[in-house]
Amino acid sequence: MVTEQGCGARVNCLAVPALASDSGLVPGQGKRKRRQETERQRLAARTAPDAGRWEVIFETRDEAEFRAHLHRLREARIDGSMLQIDTLCGRLVQPTAYRLSQFLTDPACEADHEHSDH
């Protein structure tokens, strides 16, 4: 419904003002996204090239064997954030290979971090 007011101004009475909650974010989503970004940055710092290196600890062409190895690592409560899984996709020439690497921190870096905390 459109009405006319003085001075020729037109007002739309059916317009609904936008609420702050209509910003497109679900409640708690911003907090979760910030927490996830903080965790990504923390992991990136832990696995930075100057902090250590990735070393292959297991490689196979058998997917079932690879999954069994991962299951054993989970049972042993290995820190999954320090593991990297690579699936090397084969084509007609080579079969698919599965590679598991673990990040090994440089002992010199660990010593530097211990001294910088004190």
Side-chain angles (χ1 to χ4, degrees):
M1 170 179 186
V2 177
T3 61
E4 296 216 15
Q5 294 183 344
C7 299
R10 297 180 69 147
V11 178
N12 187 348
C13 296
L14 297 176
V16 178
L19 300 174
S21 64
D22 291 342
S23 63
L25 292 177
V26 176
Q29 185 176 13
K31 182 178 179 181
R32 185 182 75 244
K33 287 184 179 251
R34 284 189 300 274
R35 187 180 66 240
Q36 289 172 340
E37 181 59 28
T38 300
E39 185 59 33
R40 276 191 291 273
Q41 290 173 354
R42 185 178 297 127
L43 181 60
R46 285 177 62 194
T47 59
D50 61 341
R53 68 185 191 293
W54 289 98
E55 185 173 295
V56 176
I57 59 173
F58 185 74
E59 187 170 2
T60 184
R61 292 183 177 163
D62 183 3
E63 184 178 3
E65 181 183 11
F66 186 71
R67 289 181 184 272
H69 189 78
L70 284 176
H71 183 72
R72 287 191 298 273
L73 289 175
R74 285 188 195 112
E75 286 178 341
R77 303 223 185 260
I78 300 294
D79 182 8
S81 67
M82 301 304 274
L83 296 176
Q84 177 175 297
I85 298 172
D86 295 310
T87 303
L88 308 170
C89 297
R91 298 286 186 242
L92 297 174
V93 180
Q94 295 179 331
T96 299
Y98 305 92
R99 181 183 296 162
L100 181 65
S101 303
Q102 183 175 19
F103 190 79
L104 302 174
T105 55
D106 184 11
C109 290
E110 287 180 354
D112 290 343
H113 287 251
E114 289 174 8
H115 293 299
S116 65
D117 291 342
H118 298 290

